[in-house]
Amino acid sequence: MRDGGRESGRNNEGRLKRNRPFGGDDFGRAVARIAVAQVCESTGFHSSHRSALDALASVLIRYICDLGKAAAFHANLSGRMESNVFDLIQGLEDLRSSQGFARASDVHRCLVNSGVVREMNESFMTAEEVPSACPFPHFPIVRFQKPMPSFAQIGETPPGEHIPDWLPAFPDPYTSTHPLPVRNERVTDLHVDETEQAWQRRKAERSLLGLQQPLACNGMAQPSPAFDGDGGKGKQVVASNPFLAPPLPYGEKEVSEIVVPNDASTGKRLSVLETFAPAIEAAKVGSLDCGVSDERMLPNKRSAVHFRLGMDRELVVVPFSSSTLGEKTGFWYLRDDEKDGKKQRAELILKEAMKNPHELAQL
Amino acid sequence: MNSSSGEGRHDDDSALTEFLASLMDYTPTIPDELVEHYLSRSGFHCPDLRLTRLVAVAAQKFISEVASDALQYVQSFQFLAFFCSIELRIMHCKARPAPPVKDKSKQPKDKRLVLTMEDLSKALHKHGVNLKHQEYFADSPLTGMDPSSREE
């Protein structure tokens, strides 16, 4: 029992990572929570703890399920599939038996004048009507999946005698492209173009997407059209959310080249702070607009950023080109005379972040 | 005797039918869709809407009973706390000549009634439901242990 500590710890971690321990019944639970909150409010509570509300909602769901099971059991016991009011009253009596109800000891009691129903009638007459807060749709929504048509339904002969015609038909040829003929073309072509390779790869991915789309949309009423390409759809996506736009093909947008510093000629190394100096100045100025000001502040040429390699405490600049290794190892963070207050603070933050990377990982 | 029992049964029948008929006019707090969903999941099959309403009314009655029991616990605890605070103040007043007590804010009427797990578990225990709530959750099994035993 003692040894199970570690394993249970691991299990707890897994349980914490999972967001939904209750399964796929979240909508029903949410509705139950609303109903329970309304009942508590009508009773006189001003507020409630969330855990208490969840627990009470679970109790409500359990109660309804138990009542249904008991009524179904009594119906099946009598040789019926459909339950009636007497099965329900017997189920109510079963659930109420732990607390007791009127005339429970009467062996020859009739279900029509059961004490449970009488109590319910009395409380129902005195209670005020509190309807549900909002209308709910009939759930769960059942979606009927349209099955894939078979060869016989399409009127196609299956390609091969071993395939019977009652099996689902193969997908259309436009949804798949064979890479073999492309490769033959490349073999004949002596000069391999990199952009051509990337275009072929993208075409293959597009065809895969085109195959997946009709399969995914099979359950829905509207059949999906062929995947025409990035043009029309991409523009729509861009209009709605720029982050979901498809990636641009190679060469469409001009991106500045990375300037590799020639250490022998200039001898000056740029620190992380100096690279981000424009952004820091923009923050000082106070302009928080992401769109225009950033474009103005970013330089046209992107300079190389020196990153720290290794897990040492001391920050050592590793030069970009290996030829100058071992010559100058400037401790850039020690140049105090050049910095002002805000830069020092930014330096400190960067230093602490790089010193304790394992703490960052835990977050 | 047979006629009287027959009349009695007739009265009971009519009472039940009237009750079921009145359920159609009353809208319970628990929505019908929720009740139908869980009843169908548990095997209860009946197309009659009055029975669904009966289940909803029964469940609402159960939850309101539990909530009212919990409310009684909360109110009795608050009254007890208020009573104890008054006694302490009286004892303090007797010990030293204190300035006039001006605390109307500590009356239980101004305090909000909050449903907590403790009161709920006590109320549910009366109705036969055992609810146990963890007081706290620890990150690892060694949390809170003595440092000496932790090293072991």
Side-chain angles (χ1 to χ4, degrees):
Chain A
M1 291 293 279
R2 231 181 131 189
D3 195 34
R6 237 188 222 179
E7 285 168 35
S8 66
R10 253 180 246 147
N11 286 340
N12 281 338
E13 276 173 21
R15 227 171 279 153
L16 283 168
K17 278 174 196 168
R18 264 188 295 156
N19 286 331
R20 285 166 195 185
F22 297 116
D25 199 22
D26 294 341
F27 186 72
R29 286 196 174 269
V31 173
R33 212 178 301 141
I34 293 169
V36 156
Q38 274 190 277
V39 171
C40 289
E41 196 185 19
S42 63
T43 311
F45 280 105
H46 297 128
S47 56
S48 154
H49 285 181
R50 184 167 283 206
S51 53
L53 217 55
D54 285 341
L56 204 49
S58 306
V59 168
L60 169 70
I61 291 169
R62 273 274 186 92
Y63 185 85
I64 295 171
C65 287
D66 285 349
L67 192 51
K69 266 187 218 166
F73 168 75
H74 285 293
N76 293 340
L77 199 62
S78 314
R80 284 178 279 111
M81 289 297 294
E82 278 195 18
S83 313
N84 57 22
V85 66
F86 300 111
D87 302 322
L88 208 50
I89 293 171
Q90 269 190 310
L92 280 167
E93 283 187 357
D94 286 346
L95 288 177
R96 194 82 181 161
S97 59
S98 58
Q99 284 182 288
F101 53 94
R103 298 173 67 170
S105 58
D106 192 3
V107 179
H108 302 290
R109 71 177 183 276
C110 183
L111 288 171
V112 174
N113 56 357
S114 164
V116 180
V117 178
R118 209 167 280 185
E119 282 174 17
M120 221 187 314
N121 202 357
E122 283 162 9
S123 65
F124 160 73
M125 300 292 259
T126 53
E128 58 173 279
E129 186 173 337
V130 180
S132 179
C134 43
F136 295 105
H138 186 77
F139 69 97
I141 298 169
V142 181
R143 287 213 174 138
F144 294 101
Q145 289 251 339
K146 199 178 75 174
M148 301 263 307
S150 64
F151 283 109
Q153 283 170 351
I154 290 179
E156 220 180 84
T157 52
E161 287 178 358
H162 62 285
I163 304 171
D165 60 352
W166 46 262
L167 281 177
F170 286 127
D172 292 328
Y174 67 78
T175 59
S176 66
T177 54
H178 294 286
L180 289 169
V182 175
R183 229 180 243 172
N184 288 334
E185 285 172 11
R186 270 184 25 207
V187 164
T188 55
D189 194 5
L190 290 169
H191 303 284
V192 179
D193 196 8
E194 279 187 358
T195 53
E196 195 66 32
Q197 273 185 30
W199 184 77
Q200 294 291 345
R201 228 177 293 133
R202 223 167 284 115
K203 195 177 167 194
E205 283 165 18
R206 222 178 288 158
S207 67
L208 256 177
L209 263 170
L211 170 65
Q212 283 172 8
Q213 276 222 342
L215 288 172
C217 298
N218 215 8
M220 290 153 55
Q222 300 157 13
S224 66
F227 193 70
D228 290 321
D230 295 334
K233 215 175 186 183
K235 280 175 193 166
Q236 282 176 24
V237 172
V238 162
S240 59
N241 191 348
F243 295 101
L244 295 177
L248 298 166
Y250 180 77
E252 192 171 307
K253 189 172 182 184
E254 278 185 25
V255 182
S256 59
E257 296 283 332
I258 299 172
V259 171
V260 177
N262 196 354
D263 283 331
S265 59
T266 57
K268 187 191 175 190
R269 272 179 230 95
L270 288 168
S271 69
V272 175
L273 273 172
E274 282 169 3
T275 316
F276 288 110
I280 295 169
E281 277 168 26
K284 278 188 210 168
V285 166
S287 58
L288 291 169
D289 294 330
C290 305
V292 183
S293 59
D294 277 347
E295 282 171 19
R296 260 190 255 138
M297 301 309 279
L298 284 173
N300 282 331
K301 284 188 181 173
R302 294 182 288 167
S303 47
V305 176
H306 293 271
F307 288 104
R308 182 180 66 86
L309 298 175
M311 306 293 281
D312 312 326
R313 287 206 157 205
E314 293 174 341
L315 297 168
V316 177
V317 167
V318 177
F320 192 78
S321 55
S322 56
S323 58
T324 53
L325 249 174
E327 282 185 30
K328 291 183 208 174
T329 53
F331 294 101
W332 56 271
Y333 67 97
L334 289 178
R335 289 186 232 145
D336 286 329
D337 49 337
E338 295 174 14
K339 311 285 192 291
D340 56 22
K342 283 200 177 177
K343 275 193 179 177
Q344 270 181 347
R345 255 175 272 149
E347 267 185 332
L348 273 167
I349 291 164
L350 276 168
K351 225 198 298 178
E352 277 168 35
M354 285 194 233
K355 266 183 197 172
N356 305 319
H358 58 276
E359 282 180 13
L360 282 171
Q362 275 183 0
L363 288 170
Chain B
M1 188 167 151
N2 280 337
S3 59
S4 63
S5 65
E7 277 172 15
R9 240 175 247 170
H10 179 71
D11 288 338
D12 295 330
D13 281 340
S14 59
L16 185 61
T17 44
E18 272 174 27
F19 174 58
L20 288 174
S22 61
L23 280 176
M24 292 312 292
D25 300 328
Y26 178 80
T27 315
T29 312
I30 298 168
D32 289 334
E33 291 82 14
L34 177 77
V35 175
E36 271 176 23
H37 171 59
Y38 285 110
L39 282 179
S40 63
R41 257 174 69 155
S42 54
F44 179 89
H45 174 60
C46 185
D48 199 351
L49 187 63
R50 293 177 296 175
L51 295 191
T52 316
R53 286 272 169 94
L54 183 63
V55 173
V57 164
Q60 187 183 335
K61 180 171 173 284
F62 176 74
I63 296 292
S64 61
E65 275 175 13
V66 170
S68 58
D69 287 343
L71 188 71
Q72 278 178 15
Y73 279 116
V74 170
Q75 283 174 337
S76 64
F77 182 75
Q78 279 184 356
F79 178 74
L80 207 66
F82 175 65
F83 192 66
C84 288
S85 67
I86 283 180
E87 278 207 23
L88 282 167
R89 239 174 274 124
I90 290 168
M91 281 162 59
H92 281 303
C93 288
K94 279 183 185 170
R96 52 182 169 128
V101 178
K102 43 181 175 177
D103 54 355
K104 283 193 177 170
S105 60
K106 294 220 173 159
Q107 281 178 14
K109 285 177 197 170
D110 293 1
K111 261 201 168 179
R112 291 172 64 85
L113 298 164
V114 182
L115 176 67
T116 58
M117 281 296 279
E118 293 172 16
D119 304 317
L120 184 65
S121 60
K122 280 185 223 165
L124 280 172
H125 188 70
K126 274 176 63 177
H127 291 265
V129 180
N130 294 323
L131 181 71
K132 204 177 172 189
H133 180 62
Q134 301 291 335
E135 288 188 16
Y136 61 89
F137 292 96
D139 289 334
S140 74
L142 298 171
T143 309
M145 281 176 70
D146 293 335
S148 55
S149 53
R150 203 184 290 188
E151 278 165 17
E152 284 169 25

